[in-house]
Amino acid sequence: MSGALRTRSPITPALRDIQAPVQDRLEESSKELARIAVADFPMLEEMGNYLLHMRGKMFRPTLVLLSSAVDGRPEPRARTVAATIELVHLATLVHDDSVDHSVMRRGMPTLNALFSHQVSVIMGDFLYSRAMVELVRLGDIEMLRVLADATNAMTIGEMRQLTSLDALAFSEDDYESLIRAKTASLLSAACELGALSGAARHRQALARYGMCLGMGFQVADDILDYMATEVQTGKPAGADLKEHKVTLPLIVALRSMPAAARRVVDELFNTAEPGDDLIARVRDIVREEGGIDYARRRAAEYAAGAEEALDGLPDSPVLGSLHDAIAYAVERSN
């Protein structure tokens, strides 16, 4: 992947600044999200309200709205489309927490901690179905196809990860296929759906931008699992290692790891509930063996690809925000 990042301020852009050109419509999307998530069933309504308080920073809806405004003619339905993307994202988090038996997310108890794994799975299914029902209501089969393809890719990616028999045999190619399916497909869909809501002639470029952005976003997130604290990420440090998840920094470190270090890694992956000390040792090993440096270079390459995808789009404050979103999503791991 070729290309170079634009010269930037050393300060990573704040999300509120990226969202500024679409802030009013983002607030309307939040209202749409609350409307769509309503269910005429007490437990579903209770869980839906809880998830709305638990939701993140609306990054994916922001991408929908920014992409829709690239040509200066965003359609009103972009607000609803942005809400459906966030619903799907929430559904994936609910399912992931259930699969991983996670008890905390963003400093709050997960649904499966408050209710049960079975109830969480059903709630995730409900969120998925509500998103699809809403796109059907809009009457745009192409939008429905884009989101259906993304959710299908995410499901297959999750299944591939769950059925991997030897986690430590996971290759870099396997990893890239996984994050393309589980993370990048939804960010690509967000940008493509945004284009279909006001900037259709830029559909392919924005879909490519979202794919590269999503790949870089996930690599950066996986780096943070080895570098950041719980205060910074809202989840326990080394959470991926605790759950025996193999990501790019570890894959790279395993290539040149001395036998003594490999034994420590094997011990962690053969321990059902590895302790904090063992996790900390493996984090140190991965840093020492160059896993973080390599992953940062790969994240930078994806960021450069996202920059290239924006070439040729009309200059505007919206385009500036799309460029800044790359730094926000990818460069946070530096």
Side-chain angles (χ1 to χ4, degrees):
M1 188 179 295
S2 62
L5 290 175
R6 289 186 171 190
T7 301
R8 300 186 187 279
S9 163
I11 301 175
T12 301
L15 183 57
R16 64 179 177 275
D17 296 327
I18 295 169
Q19 293 171 332
V22 294
Q23 185 58 51
D24 290 346
R25 283 183 291 137
L26 190 60
E27 292 173 2
E28 293 169 355
S29 290
S30 294
K31 295 176 183 177
E32 281 288 271
L33 183 60
R35 176 186 66 80
I36 298 169
V38 167
D40 188 20
F41 190 83
M43 181 176 284
L44 287 175
E45 183 174 358
E46 179 184 356
M47 289 188 291
N49 288 332
Y50 182 77
L51 287 173
L52 291 179
H53 288 294
M54 187 183 180
R55 73 177 186 270
K57 300 173 182 178
M58 300 284 281
F59 182 55
R60 289 156 188 81
T62 298
L63 293 175
V64 173
L65 296 173
L66 290 172
S67 298
S68 74
V70 161
D71 267 344
R73 297 186 298 274
E75 298 177 11
R77 62 179 178 169
R79 297 168 296 188
T80 301
V81 173
T84 65
I85 281 287
E86 186 66 8
L87 270 183
V88 170
H89 176 54
L90 285 173
T92 65
L93 299 184
V94 170
H95 280 167
D96 284 351
D97 288 340
S98 182
V99 169
D100 297 335
H101 291 232
S102 301
V103 296
M104 295 292 290
R105 181 178 287 276
R106 295 169 183 157
M108 297 175 65
T110 59
L111 283 187
N112 48 289
L114 293 174
F115 296 92
S116 69
H117 298 302
Q118 296 92 331
V119 167
S120 295
V121 170
I122 293 171
M123 184 61 187
D125 292 345
F126 171 74
L127 296 174
Y128 273 123
S129 65
R130 288 297 297 133
M132 295 302 176
V133 165
E134 197 61 25
L135 285 186
V136 169
R137 187 185 68 80
L138 292 178
D140 191 319
I141 190 66
E142 194 61 16
M143 285 189 173
L144 188 61
R145 183 194 65 77
V146 169
L147 191 55
D149 284 350
T151 57
N152 184 66
M154 288 188 288
T155 302
I156 293 173
E158 183 69 32
M159 186 60 70
R160 282 177 176 163
Q161 184 175 35
L162 288 174
T163 55
S164 177
L165 298 178
D166 183 359
L168 293 179
F170 209 60
S171 70
E172 185 171 350
D173 286 343
D174 293 332
Y175 170 80
E176 289 186 348
S177 295
L178 178 68
I179 66 172
R180 183 176 293 109
K182 288 192 63 178
T183 301
S185 62
L186 189 59
L187 269 71
S188 180
C191 296
E192 187 172 0
L193 290 173
L196 289 171
S197 304
R201 69 191 180 107
H202 302 299
R203 175 182 179 179
Q204 291 185 348
L206 287 166
R208 186 168 67 253
Y209 163 83
M211 182 62 70
C212 291
L213 182 69
M215 298 291 282
F217 180 94
Q218 187 59 59
V219 173
D221 200 56
D222 293 338
I223 291 170
L224 288 174
D225 194 62
Y226 285 88
M227 302 298 293
T229 65
E230 183 172 354
V231 172
Q232 292 171 299
T233 63
K235 62 180 182 179
D240 287 344
L241 286 173
K242 190 176 186 65
E243 296 164 7
H244 296 164
K245 290 182 179 178
V246 177
T247 58
L248 185 58
L250 179 58
I251 290 169
V252 174
L254 284 168
R255 294 173 184 168
S256 58
M257 192 177 291
R262 176 60 190 250
R263 285 194 291 271
V264 175
V265 174
D266 289 341
E267 179 185 353
L268 186 149
F269 277 81
N270 289 321
T271 303
E273 293 289 337
D276 292 341
D277 289 345
L278 183 55
I279 291 172
R281 287 170 64 195
V282 173
R283 292 177 88 200
D284 288 341
I285 289 169
V286 168
R287 291 194 289 265
E288 292 164 1
E289 294 301 318
I292 301 302
D293 291 339
Y294 181 91
R296 282 177 173 156
R297 289 195 295 272
R298 293 295 291 136
E301 290 174 4
Y302 288 126
E307 293 279 9
E308 288 178 359
L310 296 178
D311 289 347
L313 271 63
D315 196 17
S316 69
V318 167
L319 183 62
S321 284
L322 288 171
H323 279 292
D324 285 342
I326 300 170
Y328 172 81
V330 180
E331 296 175 12
R332 62 203 166 101
S333 64
N334 291 339

